């Protein structure tokens, strides 16, 4: 398997590699069973799609330290039942080294825990990719000024000898990945990571077992598709079947709800295809794994999210690239209740991975629009007359089969009386049908009224939520900024129970953050970023301490305009922080 990229480093490879001479020599692992070798191409084809056990064994300092309790075997049952073929098990070793240089001994209990979790997945016939994870920024960051490359190389080598010894006799379902998202800013950093890929392979060879026959997914700078394309050089002199793994969290503003972004623009849609195609064209003969990507139901708008999931997974599949969705434990699978946060996105992922066309709701794609629509919802404003309402669909060649109301009585809509298909493939919901779920009277309660599941001739189901909304009401509209803490602002939501985006404008007209956003559309200029700058918590809006502190630093009163869904003029509230 050869990369289409020139391999200038190949000849030099042998000379710069070294055996860590000071390392204690341990007998390489010998296995009793047999190993069924698999090519990297077959491996990658078989693991699609996969799921990440995020924020679990990779949490620091320990499993259970972040938002997930220690992993339970039943979680892998849920993952398997959903249709996933593989799991990526990220592991951080930083806080589990019990020895110093040159041995870098890893706590045997920790290695045992890693093996036990790997076995939980293997017992369910799931493929497993495991790695060395947040160590990339904890001690293995080659971009740090004065980084001790000798230490980094020695430590990564020793870590992999020990992991290799522990997992060396596992079946060919298990693949290894040297390190997660190693930072790289320059070609020199890229070259150092190429060396780390080779040291990793060398350590596997030393560790014994079946490790020289095992599939590996090698990495380039930050596992970024562009940096990998620029700087990755294939290792030579090793037998392991290898693929390249990269990660994709683009467009950044959409994925992270930055700068008021709640849609995918036509440019975004084109860029996603171009990005995935770019790395494929750089490595025409190398099996590729998109080992992390994630549009989370926590913060992304559902119509845009489902279209995103379809586009990424479908494009990857067409480019012979396996996908492994990131799940930090809050995003997709609720491990406690064993339910998936957005079953429609999940269904889209499963179908797109197989190349089956999906149908889903349409939404605004104009980055400069002054209001936005989404057919993942029927938005009915409190007090408005109930009228026929058309939901726009992107059918992608399918036809609508049926519409059902989720839950309870299992109401199925009658074609004609309740809905009809429009000439352009949309669905017109009749006044009669909608009148059973929303009401025109001023007394009608706002909130979520029903969820519809649309089924098609092929592919995933589509979800449409009927929401009766009004403008939310704040308990108070201003306060004096107090440094050092998040500010919670009590609110009565009247529709969906979270904001869409937040504009942050000082009274002197200056943007509180990121003046450059003036070049974005009207629903993004002067807007802040979810989580870092704003959030919500139950029936409270949240301005983070970073935002409050920015107001104090600016010394200017600042008005925060919280927008809600639907993003239409008037569906927002103002809150002013004074100094
Ligand atoms: C760099 O790491 C090596 C190997 O761990 C160690 O021997 C050496 O003392 C370190 N150098 C510095 C400057 O810390
Ligand atoms: C490979 O990737 C680089 C960097 O992203 C890009 O400039 C170049 O056009 C790509 N090459 C091919 C053949 O697509
Ligand atoms: C519709 O689904 C959403 C998201 O899953 C949920 O929050 C809401 O409560 C549901 N609405 C009804 C009426 O069940
Ligand atoms: C909210 O504040 C903005 C200025 O930041 C102002 O243009 C707008 O009129 C205000 N809206 C309301 C309802 O007061």
């Amino acid at each position: 398997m050869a990369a289409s990229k020139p391999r200038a480093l190949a000849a030099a490879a042998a000379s710069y590699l070294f055996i860590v001479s000071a390392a204690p020599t341990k007998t390489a692992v010998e296995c009793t069973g047999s190993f069924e070798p698999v090519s990297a191409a077959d491996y990658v084809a078989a693991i699609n799609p996969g799921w990440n056990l995020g924020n679990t064994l990779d949490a620091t300092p320990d499993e259970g330290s972040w938002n997930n309790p220690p992993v339970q075997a039943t979680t892998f049952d849920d993952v398997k039942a959903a249709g996933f073929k593989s799991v990526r098990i990220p592991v951080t070793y930083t806080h589990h080294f019990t020895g110093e240089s040159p041995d870098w001994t890893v706590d045997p209990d920790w290695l045992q825990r890693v093996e036990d979790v790997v076995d939980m997945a293997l017992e369910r016939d799931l493929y497993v990719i495991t790695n060395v994870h947040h160590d990339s920024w904890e001690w293995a960051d080659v971009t740090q000024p004065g980084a001790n490359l000798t230490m980094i190389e020695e430590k990564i080598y020793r870590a992999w000898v020990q992991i290799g010894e522990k997992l060396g006799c596992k079946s060919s379902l298990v693949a290894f990945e040297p390190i997660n998202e190693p930072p790289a800013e320059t070609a020199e950093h890229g070259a150092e990571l190429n060396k780390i890929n080779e040291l990793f392979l060398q350590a596997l060879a030393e560790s014994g077992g079946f490790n020289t026959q095992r599939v590996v997914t090698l990495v380039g700078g930050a596992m970024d598709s562009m940096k990998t394309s620029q700087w990755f050089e294939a290792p030579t002199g090793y037998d392991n079947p290898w693929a390249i793994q990269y990660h994709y969290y683009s467009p950044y503003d959409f994925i992270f709800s930055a700068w008021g972004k709640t849609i995918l623009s036509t440019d975004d849609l084109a860029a996603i295809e171009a990005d995935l195609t770019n790395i494929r064209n750089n490595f025409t003969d190398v099996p590729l794994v998109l080992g992390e990507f994630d549009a989370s139901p926590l913060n992304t708008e559902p119509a845009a999210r489902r279209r995103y999931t379809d586009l990424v997974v479908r494009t990857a599949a067409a480019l012979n690239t396996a996908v492994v969705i990131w799940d930090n434990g809050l995003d997709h699978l609720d491990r406690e209740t064993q339910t998936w946060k957005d079953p429609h996105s999940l269904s889209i992922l499963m179908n797109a991975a197989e190349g089956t066309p999906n149908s889903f709701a349409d939404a605004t794609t104009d980055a400069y629009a002054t209001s936005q629509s989404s057919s993942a919802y029927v938005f009915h404003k409190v007090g408005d007359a109930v009228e026929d309402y058309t939901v726009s669909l992107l059918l992608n060649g399918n036809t609508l089969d049926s519409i059902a109301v989720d839950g309870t009585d299992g109401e199925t809509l009658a074609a004609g009386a309740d809905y009809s298909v429009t000439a352009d493939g949309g669905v017109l919901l009749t006044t009669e049908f909608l009148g059973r779920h929303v009401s025109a009277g001023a007394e009608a309660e706002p909130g979520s009224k029903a969820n519809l599941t649309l089924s098609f001739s092929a592919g995933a189901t589509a979800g449409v939520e009927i929401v009766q909304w009004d403008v939310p009401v704040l308990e108070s509209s201003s306060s004096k900024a107090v440094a050092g803490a998040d500010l919670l602002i009590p609110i009565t939501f009247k529709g969906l129970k979270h904001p869409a985006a937040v504009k942050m404008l000082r009274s002197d007209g200056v943007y509180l953050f990121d003046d450059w956003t003036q070049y974005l559309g009207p629903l993004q200029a002067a807007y802040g970023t979810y989580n870092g700058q704003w959030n919500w918590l139950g029936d409270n809006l949240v301005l983070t301490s970073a935002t409050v502190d920015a107001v104090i630093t600016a010394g200017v009163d600042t008005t925060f305009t919280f927008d809600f869904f639907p993003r239409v003029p008037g569906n927002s509230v103002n809150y002013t922080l004074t100094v």
Side-chain angles (χ1 to χ4, degrees):
M1 193 68 48
S4 64
K5 230 176 128 84
R7 282 185 274 165
L9 271 177
S15 64
Y16 71 55
L17 288 174
F18 63 98
I19 300 291
V20 181
S21 51
T25 37
K26 237 186 124 180
T27 333
V29 173
E30 283 180 37
C31 308
T32 48
S34 64
F35 187 87
E36 228 176 280
V38 56
S39 71
D42 287 348
Y43 187 90
V44 167
I47 67 171
N48 194 34
W51 176 85
N52 269 281
L53 180 70
N55 288 13
T56 311
L57 293 175
D58 55 318
T60 58
D62 210 349
E63 183 183 9
S65 295
W66 291 356
N67 56 295
N68 295 300
V71 62
Q72 296 186 17
T74 50
T75 291
F76 295 115
D77 291 325
D78 298 335
V79 168
K80 173 111 183 172
F84 290 101
K85 306 291 195 297
S86 62
V87 291
R88 180 166 171 265
I89 302 180
V91 182
T92 300
Y93 288 83
T94 302
H95 301 278
H96 303 283
F97 288 97
T98 54
E100 302 284 313
S101 170
D103 296 12
W104 297 112
T105 304
V106 178
D107 179 357
D109 290 347
W110 181 242
L111 285 170
Q112 188 56 50
R113 176 62 180 159
V114 172
E115 179 177 17
D116 290 347
V117 173
V118 166
D119 284 343
M120 291 175 194
L122 293 178
E123 280 157 13
R124 289 155 178 85
D125 292 322
L126 288 162
Y127 287 78
V128 172
I129 300 176
T130 188
N131 73 353
V132 169
H133 201 80
H134 290 305
D135 304 79
S136 57
W137 51 267
E138 294 264 10
W139 54 263
D141 183 350
V142 303
T143 71
Q144 286 301 308
N148 185 346
L149 298 184
T150 311
M151 180 275 288
I152 293 172
E153 291 167 9
E154 184 186 79
K155 200 165 172 178
I156 198 100
Y157 184 93
R158 285 291 307 149
W160 274 109
V161 168
Q162 294 169 82
I163 301 165
E165 285 169 346
K166 188 68 182 174
L167 302 179
C169 295
K170 298 300 170 196
S171 77
S172 56
L173 295 188
V174 175
F176 294 146
E177 161 200 334
I179 189 151
N180 176 69
E181 299 182 8
E185 301 301 336
T186 65
E188 286 69 31
H189 301 149
E192 180 62 29
L193 298 182
N194 291 329
K195 186 174 178 181
I196 285 174
N197 278 328
E198 298 217 20
L199 286 168
F200 154 77
L201 292 170
Q202 193 180 335
L204 292 185
E206 185 188 325
S207 70
F210 301 121
N211 288 332
T212 57
Q213 299 179 73
R214 193 176 297 291
V215 171
V216 294
T217 68
L218 301 176
V219 301
M223 287 170 123
D224 169 87
S225 66
M226 299 297 167
K227 290 176 179 177
T228 302
S229 293
Q230 279 175 287
W231 300 323
F232 179 86
E233 299 289 351
T236 55
Y238 299 91
D239 296 334
N240 292 80
W242 61 277
I244 290 176
Q245 184 182 154
Y246 72 99
H247 295 172
Y248 193 69
Y249 287 102
S250 234
Y252 175 89
D253 51 4
F254 170 70
I255 296 299
F256 296 99
S257 302
W259 309 301
K261 185 71 170 277
T262 48
I263 62 161
L264 282 174
S265 71
T266 42
D267 285 353
D268 292 331
L269 296 166
I272 292 164
E273 283 195 80
D275 290 346
L276 269 55
T277 305
N278 182 73
I279 184 165
R280 169 45 78 208
N281 287 348
N282 266 278
F283 301 103
T284 50
D285 297 335
V286 179
L288 294 177
V289 178
L290 205 181
E292 288 187 19
F293 76 105
D294 180 22
S296 174
L298 270 185
N299 64 294
T300 57
E301 194 285 321
R305 168 171 71 250
R306 292 167 190 158
R307 189 169 189 179
Y308 181 86
T309 304
D310 183 74
L311 184 61
V312 169
V313 178
R314 174 174 315 288
T315 305
L319 294 167
N320 245 323
T321 302
V323 298
V324 189
I325 196 169
W326 180 253
D327 189 349
N328 66 12
L330 302 170
D331 294 330
H332 300 288
L333 173 62
D334 184 325
R335 299 182 200 170
E336 188 69 37
T337 62
Q338 301 180 280
T339 53
W340 294 84
K341 300 273 171 74
D342 182 356
H344 303 291
S345 277
L346 181 69
S347 169
I348 282 173
L349 185 156
M350 292 300 158
N351 281 281
E354 306 215 315
T356 307
N358 290 311
S359 308
F360 37 82
D362 201 0
T364 298
T365 53
D366 175 4
Y368 291 87
T370 53
S371 68
Q372 296 172 354
S373 66
S374 164
S375 284
Y377 296 101
V378 169
F379 283 120
H380 179 257
K381 191 165 187 218
V382 170
D384 280 1
V386 179
E387 291 171 344
D388 291 356
Y389 191 107
T390 300
V391 169
S392 303
L393 297 172
L394 297 168
L395 285 170
N396 298 317
N398 299 327
T399 51
L400 179 73
D401 272 357
S402 63
I403 307 179
V405 179
D406 290 0
T408 54
D409 54 1
E411 177 186 2
T412 300
L413 278 67
D418 295 334
Y419 76 94
S420 57
V421 175
T422 65
D424 58 2
V427 172
L428 183 147
L429 297 168
T430 63
T431 307
E432 187 188 332
F433 167 73
L434 287 172
R436 297 205 292 271
H437 296 279
V438 294
S439 58
E443 76 290 354
E445 284 295 311
S448 176
K449 297 294 171 179
N451 284 295
L452 306 182
T453 293
L454 282 58
S455 301
F456 302 90
S457 51
T461 52
V464 176
E465 183 174 359
I466 301 177
V467 176
Q468 185 148 274
W469 67 279
D470 207 339
V471 182
V473 177
L474 293 181
E475 202 175 275
S476 71
S477 63
S478 104
S479 65
K480 190 166 158 57
V482 179
D486 290 355
L487 174 67
L488 270 62
I489 307 167
I491 184 169
T492 306
F493 288 114
K494 298 196 170 189
L496 296 178
K497 294 183 183 303
H498 58 87
V502 185
K503 188 174 183 172
M504 305 182 170
L505 193 61
R506 287 163 35 170
S507 62
D508 57 4
V510 175
Y511 297 0
L512 184 61
F513 298 107
D514 301 320
D515 191 48
W516 62 268
T517 60
Q518 64 188 283
Y519 302 109
L520 302 177
L523 296 183
Q524 287 196 261
Y527 280 76
T529 294
Y530 162 72
N531 200 29
Q533 295 170 350
W534 63 270
N535 211 322
W536 70 94
L537 188 64
D539 289 330
N540 296 280
L541 304 176
V542 177
L543 294 176
T544 65
S545 61
T547 299
V548 175
D549 291 351
V551 172
I552 292 167
T553 303
V556 182
D557 294 356
T558 301
T559 295
F560 297 87
T561 302
F562 289 86
D563 289 355
F564 303 90
F565 291 112
R567 290 190 78 183
V568 295
N571 193 15
S572 30
V573 296
N574 279 357
Y575 188 87
T576 302
L577 268 188
T578 60
V579 293

